């Protein structure tokens, strides 16, 4: 397990991370989402031991990551922009990873290069962005570390390749001790593959929850309640995250259990009501609006 304890990271006067607390369990896929500049990439670098926090610490099974060879050997980090040696080929990077990661599976890497139709002798500088990303992911998987930190893993990959990478991650989890941590702006990709999701906003973590459990605890409601007094009373007793009214149709996003919300709505004698499931994107928007990141204030 990775434990993040009160991690604070500053760059001059900018607080990139402010007292972040979170836990990442083993053998799950953890998605890290957030607003622009929320600190996702910085947090991944702190977890990997690339950056040292000013306060707090990151532990892998109770071993602090910073300056610990033991802890770092269990983590592989794939940055947003693929980083390779000048004029390097996939073969050169394979040999380098074999030195850095003792469990690196060179034979499997060569096999995957062939399956992905990537030339091991061709200079990586001539590859497209998507091809470079593929090589980075294959290097990360074949490193055979317990944790793989991925910054914008799916950026630049075509739909077929995105699905292939997801399948690779799923197969790794089934076959060995493996935990991918994926930071992405693509909430659709996160929703498709992740078991747990952490939401960062302005350097702090708003929540880190099981994705299915999170969806069960937040709902979108559309209803028509003719009596405005009854409508106001309903809004007062619900935990409302977001509200919009067009004509007589009230649309709200609410925290709570389905049955309890349904009971409270029916008690107000609505002409019409329905409770709808939310996508991760809708949950993201609702939670960040509560935190003060309201798109209406930005646009209008």
């Amino acid at each position: 397990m990775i434990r993040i304890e009160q991690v604070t990271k500053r760059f001059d006067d900018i607080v990139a991370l402010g007292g972040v607390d979170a836990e990442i369990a083993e053998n799950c896929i953890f998605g890290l989402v957030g607003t622009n500049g929320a600190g996702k990439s910085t947090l991944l670098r702190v977890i990997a031991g690339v950056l040292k926090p000013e306060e707090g610490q990151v532990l892998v099974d109770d071993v602090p990551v910073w300056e610990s060879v033991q802890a770092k050997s269990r983590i592989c980090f794939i940055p947003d922009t693929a980083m390779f040696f000048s004029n390097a080929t996939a073969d050169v990077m394979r040999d380098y990873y074999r030195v850095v990661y003792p469990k690196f599976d060179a034979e499997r890497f060569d096999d995957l290069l062939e399956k992905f139709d990537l030339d091991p002798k061709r200079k990586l500088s001539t590859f497209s962005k998507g091809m470079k990303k593929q090589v980075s992911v294959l290097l990360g998987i074949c490193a055979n570390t317990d944790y793989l930190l991925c910054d914008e893993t799916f950026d630049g990959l075509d739909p077929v390749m995105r699905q292939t990478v997801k399948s690779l991650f799923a197969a790794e989890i089934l076959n060995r001790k493996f935990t991918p941590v994926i930071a992405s702006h693509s909430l659709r990709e996160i929703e498709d593959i992740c078991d747990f999701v952490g939401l960062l906003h302005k350097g702090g973590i708003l929540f880190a929850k099981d994705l299915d459990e999170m969806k069960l605890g937040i709902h979108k409601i559309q209803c028509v309640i003719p009596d405005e007094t009854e409508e106001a009373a309903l809004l007062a007793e619900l935990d409302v995250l977001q509200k919009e009214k067009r004509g007589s149709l009230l649309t709200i996003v609410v925290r709570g259990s389905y049955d309890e919300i349904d009971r409270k709505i029916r008690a107000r004698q609505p002409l019409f009501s329905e409770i709808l499931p939310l996508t991760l994107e809708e949950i993201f928007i609702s939670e960040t609006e509560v935190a003060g990141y309201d798109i209406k204030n930005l646009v209008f």
Side-chain angles (χ1 to χ4, degrees):
M1 173 183 287
I2 293 177
R3 278 209 325 273
I4 304 164
E5 299 180 344
Q6 284 294 300
V7 165
T8 295
K9 179 62 185 175
R10 302 182 185 89
F11 297 100
D12 296 325
D13 295 332
I14 299 171
V15 180
L17 299 171
V20 173
D21 281 303
E23 290 187 352
I24 300 174
E26 295 178 347
N27 278 70
C28 71
I29 303 180
F30 189 95
L32 191 60
V33 299
T35 52
N36 293 328
K40 298 186 297 296
S41 297
T42 301
L43 181 57
L44 288 185
R45 285 170 168 79
V46 170
I47 294 173
V50 176
L51 295 175
K52 181 182 180 180
E54 277 75 31
E55 300 169 24
Q57 62 180 345
V58 176
L59 302 101
V60 177
D61 291 343
D62 298 322
V63 178
V65 170
W66 183 251
E67 293 188 340
S68 169
V69 175
Q70 176 190 348
K72 288 184 179 181
S73 67
R74 301 179 60 192
I75 299 171
C76 183
F77 172 54
I78 303 175
D80 179 18
T81 303
M83 302 294 291
F84 304 118
F85 297 133
S86 179
N87 297 321
T89 64
D91 278 353
V92 169
M93 295 308 301
R94 174 201 61 202
D95 294 341
Y96 171 70
Y97 269 63
R98 288 175 69 179
V99 174
V100 176
Y101 299 99
K103 295 181 181 179
F104 186 83
D105 191 338
E107 185 177 338
R108 187 181 182 207
F109 179 71
D110 291 340
D111 181 58
L112 286 172
L113 281 179
E114 185 176 349
K115 289 179 178 177
F116 277 63
D117 196 25
L118 297 168
D119 185 351
K121 305 295 183 184
R122 178 178 163 185
K123 290 183 180 180
L124 295 172
S125 59
T126 67
F127 279 17
S128 68
K129 179 180 179 180
M131 293 167 69
K132 290 177 182 176
K133 184 70 75 171
Q134 291 173 46
V135 174
S136 293
V137 170
L138 297 184
L139 286 167
I141 287 175
C142 292
N144 277 324
T145 54
D146 295 336
Y147 299 94
L148 182 61
L149 311 182
C150 308
D151 196 357
E152 297 294 345
T153 308
F154 303 105
D155 186 28
L157 299 180
D158 63 55
V160 173
M161 197 52 60
R162 286 201 298 271
Q163 191 58 49
T164 302
V165 170
K166 292 176 189 177
S167 298
L168 275 175
F169 285 169
E172 289 297 301
I173 289 175
L174 289 174
N175 295 325
R176 66 180 178 92
K177 186 178 179 181
F178 179 65
T179 304
V181 180
I182 302 171
S184 178
H185 285 103
S186 176
L187 299 181
R188 175 67 182 179
E189 302 293 355
I190 293 290
E191 188 171 17
D192 284 348
I193 192 174
C194 291
D195 305 300
F196 291 83
V197 174
L199 174 58
L200 275 171
H201 178 61
K202 292 185 177 179
I205 196 155
L206 296 183
F207 61 74
K209 299 179 182 177
D210 179 285
L211 183 55
D212 291 333
E213 180 183 321
M214 181 170 59
K215 287 184 176 181
L216 290 173
I218 186 168
H219 308 276
K220 183 177 182 179
I221 301 157
Q222 291 185 328
C223 60
V224 176
I225 302 175
D227 189 325
E228 291 187 0
T229 303
E230 290 289 314
E231 180 184 288
L234 175 65
L235 292 174
E237 63 183 4
L238 292 175
D239 185 3
V240 179
L241 300 179
Q242 191 178 31
K243 180 183 74 171
E244 182 180 3
K245 188 169 184 181
R246 294 186 178 181
S248 59
L249 180 65
L250 175 67
T251 303
I252 51 178
V253 176
V254 177
R255 278 202 192 98
S257 71
Y258 181 99
D259 292 339
E260 183 70 11
I261 292 169
D262 185 56
R263 182 186 65 77
K264 289 179 179 179
I265 293 172
R266 293 186 183 281
R268 301 301 171 180
Q269 299 181 334
L271 290 179
F272 161 81
S273 71
E274 62 177 345
I275 302 178
L276 306 170
L278 269 78
T279 65
L280 181 57
E281 182 172 344
E282 289 174 315
I283 293 173
F284 174 89
I285 291 171
S286 299
E287 293 283 0
T288 50
E289 281 189 7
V290 171
Y293 193 71
D294 190 344
I295 189 170
K296 297 184 184 70
N297 294 332
L298 298 175
V299 178
F300 303 106

